[in-house]
mmCIF file with all atom_site columns, all heavy atoms in Angstrom:
data_model
loop_
_atom_site.group_PDB
_atom_site.id
_atom_site.type_symbol
_atom_site.label_atom_id
_atom_site.label_alt_id
_atom_site.label_comp_id
_atom_site.label_asym_id
_atom_site.label_entity_id
_atom_site.label_seq_id
_atom_site.pdbx_PDB_ins_code
_atom_site.Cartn_x
_atom_site.Cartn_y
_atom_site.Cartn_z
_atom_site.occupancy
_atom_site.B_iso_or_equiv
_atom_site.pdbx_formal_charge
_atom_site.auth_seq_id
_atom_site.auth_comp_id
_atom_site.auth_asym_id
_atom_site.auth_atom_id
_atom_site.pdbx_PDB_model_num
ATOM 1   N N   . THR A 1 183 ? -6.664  17.980 -7.087  1.00 99.00 ? 384 THR A N   1
ATOM 2   C CA  . THR A 1 183 ? -6.372  19.404 -7.111  1.00 99.00 ? 384 THR A CA  1
ATOM 3   C C   . THR A 1 183 ? -6.731  20.047 -5.800  1.00 99.00 ? 384 THR A C   1
ATOM 4   O O   . THR A 1 183 ? -7.165  19.423 -4.882  1.00 99.00 ? 384 THR A O   1
ATOM 5   C CB  . THR A 1 183 ? -7.264  20.154 -8.212  1.00 99.00 ? 384 THR A CB  1
ATOM 6   O OG1 . THR A 1 183 ? -8.543  20.374 -7.719  1.00 99.00 ? 384 THR A OG1 1
ATOM 7   C CG2 . THR A 1 183 ? -7.266  19.354 -9.532  1.00 99.00 ? 384 THR A CG2 1
ATOM 8   N N   . GLY A 1 184 ? -6.442  21.370 -5.746  1.00 98.00 ? 385 GLY A N   1
ATOM 9   C CA  . GLY A 1 184 ? -6.867  22.218 -4.584  1.00 98.00 ? 385 GLY A CA  1
ATOM 10  C C   . GLY A 1 184 ? -7.693  23.363 -5.146  1.00 98.00 ? 385 GLY A C   1
ATOM 11  O O   . GLY A 1 184 ? -8.568  23.126 -5.983  1.00 98.00 ? 385 GLY A O   1
ATOM 12  N N   . HIS A 1 185 ? -7.420  24.613 -4.665  1.00 98.00 ? 386 HIS A N   1
ATOM 13  C CA  . HIS A 1 185 ? -7.932  25.841 -5.210  1.00 98.00 ? 386 HIS A CA  1
ATOM 14  C C   . HIS A 1 185 ? -9.367  26.177 -4.767  1.00 98.00 ? 386 HIS A C   1
ATOM 15  O O   . HIS A 1 185 ? -9.647  27.354 -4.528  1.00 98.00 ? 386 HIS A O   1
ATOM 16  C CB  . HIS A 1 185 ? -7.935  25.791 -6.708  1.00 98.00 ? 386 HIS A CB  1
ATOM 17  C CG  . HIS A 1 185 ? -8.127  27.047 -7.508  1.00 98.00 ? 386 HIS A CG  1
ATOM 18  N ND1 . HIS A 1 185 ? -7.548  28.254 -7.146  1.00 98.00 ? 386 HIS A ND1 1
ATOM 19  C CD2 . HIS A 1 185 ? -8.902  27.328 -8.560  1.00 98.00 ? 386 HIS A CD2 1
ATOM 20  C CE1 . HIS A 1 185 ? -7.886  29.192 -8.004  1.00 98.00 ? 386 HIS A CE1 1
ATOM 21  N NE2 . HIS A 1 185 ? -8.726  28.642 -8.884  1.00 98.00 ? 386 HIS A NE2 1
ATOM 22  N N   . VAL A 1 186 ? -10.180 25.207 -4.564  1.00 98.00 ? 387 VAL A N   1
ATOM 23  C CA  . VAL A 1 186 ? -11.646 25.450 -4.280  1.00 98.00 ? 387 VAL A CA  1
ATOM 24  C C   . VAL A 1 186 ? -11.934 25.800 -2.848  1.00 98.00 ? 387 VAL A C   1
ATOM 25  O O   . VAL A 1 186 ? -12.895 26.369 -2.468  1.00 98.00 ? 387 VAL A O   1
ATOM 26  C CB  . VAL A 1 186 ? -12.502 24.232 -4.765  1.00 98.00 ? 387 VAL A CB  1
ATOM 27  C CG1 . VAL A 1 186 ? -13.967 24.584 -4.635  1.00 98.00 ? 387 VAL A CG1 1
ATOM 28  C CG2 . VAL A 1 186 ? -12.162 23.876 -6.166  1.00 98.00 ? 387 VAL A CG2 1
ATOM 29  N N   . HIS A 1 187 ? -11.005 25.446 -1.981  1.00 98.00 ? 388 HIS A N   1
ATOM 30  C CA  . HIS A 1 187 ? -11.217 25.551 -0.493  1.00 98.00 ? 388 HIS A CA  1
ATOM 31  C C   . HIS A 1 187 ? -12.433 24.802 -0.042  1.00 98.00 ? 388 HIS A C   1
ATOM 32  O O   . HIS A 1 187 ? -13.231 25.300 0.794   1.00 98.00 ? 388 HIS A O   1
ATOM 33  C CB  . HIS A 1 187 ? -11.300 27.031 -0.075  1.00 98.00 ? 388 HIS A CB  1
ATOM 34  C CG  . HIS A 1 187 ? -10.001 27.764 -0.188  1.00 98.00 ? 388 HIS A CG  1
ATOM 35  N ND1 . HIS A 1 187 ? -9.495  28.555 0.847   1.00 98.00 ? 388 HIS A ND1 1
ATOM 36  C CD2 . HIS A 1 187 ? -9.049  27.818 -1.196  1.00 98.00 ? 388 HIS A CD2 1
ATOM 37  C CE1 . HIS A 1 187 ? -8.286  29.109 0.495   1.00 98.00 ? 388 HIS A CE1 1
ATOM 38  N NE2 . HIS A 1 187 ? -8.044  28.661 -0.773  1.00 98.00 ? 388 HIS A NE2 1
ATOM 39  N N   . ALA A 1 188 ? -12.678 23.648 -0.664  1.00 98.00 ? 389 ALA A N   1
ATOM 40  C CA  . ALA A 1 188 ? -13.792 22.754 -0.229  1.00 98.00 ? 389 ALA A CA  1
ATOM 41  C C   . ALA A 1 188 ? -13.386 21.374 -0.692  1.00 98.00 ? 389 ALA A C   1
ATOM 42  O O   . ALA A 1 188 ? -12.766 21.188 -1.778  1.00 98.00 ? 389 ALA A O   1
ATOM 43  C CB  . ALA A 1 188 ? -15.051 23.207 -0.965  1.00 98.00 ? 389 ALA A CB  1
ATOM 44  N N   . GLY A 1 189 ? -13.637 20.411 0.158   1.00 98.00 ? 390 GLY A N   1
ATOM 45  C CA  . GLY A 1 189 ? -13.368 19.047 -0.154  1.00 98.00 ? 390 GLY A CA  1
ATOM 46  C C   . GLY A 1 189 ? -14.490 18.442 -1.015  1.00 98.00 ? 390 GLY A C   1
ATOM 47  O O   . GLY A 1 189 ? -15.662 18.542 -0.599  1.00 98.00 ? 390 GLY A O   1
ATOM 48  N N   . LEU A 1 190 ? -14.208 17.886 -2.155  1.00 98.00 ? 391 LEU A N   1
ATOM 49  C CA  . LEU A 1 190 ? -15.260 17.374 -2.990  1.00 98.00 ? 391 LEU A CA  1
ATOM 50  C C   . LEU A 1 190 ? -14.710 16.361 -3.984  1.00 98.00 ? 391 LEU A C   1
ATOM 51  O O   . LEU A 1 190 ? -13.523 16.307 -4.203  1.00 98.00 ? 391 LEU A O   1
ATOM 52  C CB  . LEU A 1 190 ? -15.968 18.518 -3.748  1.00 98.00 ? 391 LEU A CB  1
ATOM 53  C CG  . LEU A 1 190 ? -15.169 19.319 -4.773  1.00 98.00 ? 391 LEU A CG  1
ATOM 54  C CD1 . LEU A 1 190 ? -15.293 18.769 -6.174  1.00 98.00 ? 391 LEU A CD1 1
ATOM 55  C CD2 . LEU A 1 190 ? -15.544 20.788 -4.734  1.00 98.00 ? 391 LEU A CD2 1
ATOM 56  N N   . MET A 1 191 ? -15.618 15.550 -4.553  1.00 98.00 ? 392 MET A N   1
ATOM 57  C CA  . MET A 1 191 ? -15.271 14.698 -5.645  1.00 98.00 ? 392 MET A CA  1
ATOM 58  C C   . MET A 1 191 ? -16.187 14.933 -6.808  1.00 98.00 ? 392 MET A C   1
ATOM 59  O O   . MET A 1 191 ? -17.395 15.094 -6.605  1.00 98.00 ? 392 MET A O   1
ATOM 60  C CB  . MET A 1 191 ? -15.406 13.204 -5.155  1.00 98.00 ? 392 MET A CB  1
ATOM 61  C CG  . MET A 1 191 ? -14.477 12.273 -5.902  1.00 98.00 ? 392 MET A CG  1
ATOM 62  S SD  . MET A 1 191 ? -15.131 10.613 -6.103  1.00 98.00 ? 392 MET A SD  1
ATOM 63  C CE  . MET A 1 191 ? -16.359 10.836 -7.444  1.00 98.00 ? 392 MET A CE  1
ATOM 64  N N   . ALA A 1 192 ? -15.623 14.973 -8.008  1.00 98.00 ? 393 ALA A N   1
ATOM 65  C CA  . ALA A 1 192 ? -16.366 15.090 -9.192  1.00 98.00 ? 393 ALA A CA  1
ATOM 66  C C   . ALA A 1 192 ? -15.845 14.099 -10.237 1.00 98.00 ? 393 ALA A C   1
ATOM 67  O O   . ALA A 1 192 ? -14.978 13.200 -9.873  1.00 98.00 ? 393 ALA A O   1
ATOM 68  C CB  . ALA A 1 192 ? -16.340 16.488 -9.753  1.00 98.00 ? 393 ALA A CB  1
ATOM 69  N N   . GLN A 1 193 ? -16.238 14.151 -11.456 1.00 98.00 ? 394 GLN A N   1
ATOM 70  C CA  . GLN A 1 193 ? -15.733 13.322 -12.543 1.00 98.00 ? 394 GLN A CA  1
ATOM 71  C C   . GLN A 1 193 ? -15.086 14.090 -13.615 1.00 98.00 ? 394 GLN A C   1
ATOM 72  O O   . GLN A 1 193 ? -15.641 15.160 -14.031 1.00 98.00 ? 394 GLN A O   1
ATOM 73  C CB  . GLN A 1 193 ? -16.867 12.480 -13.148 1.00 98.00 ? 394 GLN A CB  1
ATOM 74  C CG  . GLN A 1 193 ? -17.316 11.317 -12.211 1.00 98.00 ? 394 GLN A CG  1
ATOM 75  C CD  . GLN A 1 193 ? -18.442 10.564 -12.828 1.00 98.00 ? 394 GLN A CD  1
ATOM 76  O OE1 . GLN A 1 193 ? -19.484 11.142 -13.188 1.00 98.00 ? 394 GLN A OE1 1
ATOM 77  N NE2 . GLN A 1 193 ? -18.278 9.286  -13.089 1.00 98.00 ? 394 GLN A NE2 1
ATOM 78  N N   . PHE A 1 194 ? -13.949 13.688 -14.053 1.00 98.00 ? 395 PHE A N   1
ATOM 79  C CA  . PHE A 1 194 ? -13.214 14.346 -15.149 1.00 98.00 ? 395 PHE A CA  1
ATOM 80  C C   . PHE A 1 194 ? -12.654 13.248 -16.097 1.00 98.00 ? 395 PHE A C   1
ATOM 81  O O   . PHE A 1 194 ? -11.937 12.400 -15.615 1.00 98.00 ? 395 PHE A O   1
ATOM 82  C CB  . PHE A 1 194 ? -12.090 15.181 -14.589 1.00 98.00 ? 395 PHE A CB  1
ATOM 83  C CG  . PHE A 1 194 ? -11.131 15.770 -15.624 1.00 98.00 ? 395 PHE A CG  1
ATOM 84  C CD1 . PHE A 1 194 ? -11.619 16.709 -16.544 1.00 98.00 ? 395 PHE A CD1 1
ATOM 85  C CD2 . PHE A 1 194 ? -9.849  15.358 -15.719 1.00 98.00 ? 395 PHE A CD2 1
ATOM 86  C CE1 . PHE A 1 194 ? -10.841 17.227 -17.560 1.00 98.00 ? 395 PHE A CE1 1
ATOM 87  C CE2 . PHE A 1 194 ? -9.035  15.911 -16.700 1.00 98.00 ? 395 PHE A CE2 1
ATOM 88  C CZ  . PHE A 1 194 ? -9.487  16.832 -17.622 1.00 98.00 ? 395 PHE A CZ  1
ATOM 89  N N   . ALA A 1 195 ? -13.072 13.273 -17.339 1.00 98.00 ? 396 ALA A N   1
ATOM 90  C CA  . ALA A 1 195 ? -12.553 12.347 -18.314 1.00 98.00 ? 396 ALA A CA  1
ATOM 91  C C   . ALA A 1 195 ? -12.734 10.897 -17.878 1.00 98.00 ? 396 ALA A C   1
ATOM 92  O O   . ALA A 1 195 ? -11.907 10.035 -18.099 1.00 98.00 ? 396 ALA A O   1
ATOM 93  C CB  . ALA A 1 195 ? -11.019 12.606 -18.603 1.00 98.00 ? 396 ALA A CB  1
ATOM 94  N N   . GLY A 1 196 ? -13.864 10.719 -17.219 1.00 98.00 ? 397 GLY A N   1
ATOM 95  C CA  . GLY A 1 196 ? -14.221 9.332  -16.746 1.00 98.00 ? 397 GLY A CA  1
ATOM 96  C C   . GLY A 1 196 ? -13.496 8.839  -15.554 1.00 98.00 ? 397 GLY A C   1
ATOM 97  O O   . GLY A 1 196 ? -13.616 7.687  -15.117 1.00 98.00 ? 397 GLY A O   1
ATOM 98  N N   . LYS A 1 197 ? -12.741 9.742  -14.915 1.00 98.00 ? 398 LYS A N   1
ATOM 99  C CA  . LYS A 1 197 ? -12.011 9.380  -13.654 1.00 98.00 ? 398 LYS A CA  1
ATOM 100 C C   . LYS A 1 197 ? -12.421 10.303 -12.522 1.00 98.00 ? 398 LYS A C   1
ATOM 101 O O   . LYS A 1 197 ? -12.940 11.327 -12.781 1.00 98.00 ? 398 LYS A O   1
ATOM 102 C CB  . LYS A 1 197 ? -10.476 9.533  -13.911 1.00 98.00 ? 398 LYS A CB  1
ATOM 103 C CG  . LYS A 1 197 ? -9.894  8.821  -15.110 1.00 98.00 ? 398 LYS A CG  1
ATOM 104 C CD  . LYS A 1 197 ? -9.651  7.361  -14.909 1.00 98.00 ? 398 LYS A CD  1
ATOM 105 C CE  . LYS A 1 197 ? -9.187  6.648  -16.155 1.00 98.00 ? 398 LYS A CE  1
ATOM 106 N NZ  . LYS A 1 197 ? -7.826  6.958  -16.616 1.00 98.00 ? 398 LYS A NZ  1
ATOM 107 N N   . PRO A 1 198 ? -12.111 9.870  -11.299 1.00 98.00 ? 399 PRO A N   1
ATOM 108 C CA  . PRO A 1 198 ? -12.386 10.751 -10.171 1.00 98.00 ? 399 PRO A CA  1
ATOM 109 C C   . PRO A 1 198 ? -11.528 12.018 -10.245 1.00 98.00 ? 399 PRO A C   1
ATOM 110 O O   . PRO A 1 198 ? -10.344 11.927 -10.507 1.00 98.00 ? 399 PRO A O   1
ATOM 111 C CB  . PRO A 1 198 ? -12.083 9.944  -8.921  1.00 98.00 ? 399 PRO A CB  1
ATOM 112 C CG  . PRO A 1 198 ? -12.033 8.533  -9.375  1.00 98.00 ? 399 PRO A CG  1
ATOM 113 C CD  . PRO A 1 198 ? -11.636 8.562  -10.810 1.00 98.00 ? 399 PRO A CD  1
ATOM 114 N N   . LEU A 1 199 ? -12.190 13.132 -9.977  1.00 98.00 ? 400 LEU A N   1
ATOM 115 C CA  . LEU A 1 199 ? -11.443 14.390 -9.710  1.00 98.00 ? 400 LEU A CA  1
ATOM 116 C C   . LEU A 1 199 ? -11.662 14.675 -8.234  1.00 98.00 ? 400 LEU A C   1
ATOM 117 O O   . LEU A 1 199 ? -12.813 14.858 -7.759  1.00 98.00 ? 400 LEU A O   1
ATOM 118 C CB  . LEU A 1 199 ? -12.045 15.548 -10.577 1.00 98.00 ? 400 LEU A CB  1
ATOM 119 C CG  . LEU A 1 199 ? -11.592 16.948 -10.154 1.00 98.00 ? 400 LEU A CG  1
ATOM 120 C CD1 . LEU A 1 199 ? -10.089 17.142 -10.501 1.00 98.00 ? 400 LEU A CD1 1
ATOM 121 C CD2 . LEU A 1 199 ? -12.476 18.031 -10.756 1.00 98.00 ? 400 LEU A CD2 1
#
Side-chain angles (χ1 to χ4, degrees):
T384 81
H386 192 46
V387 186
H388 290 228
L391 64 94
M392 206 210 79
Q394 286 179 301
F395 171 66
K398 308 278 175 75
L400 167 71

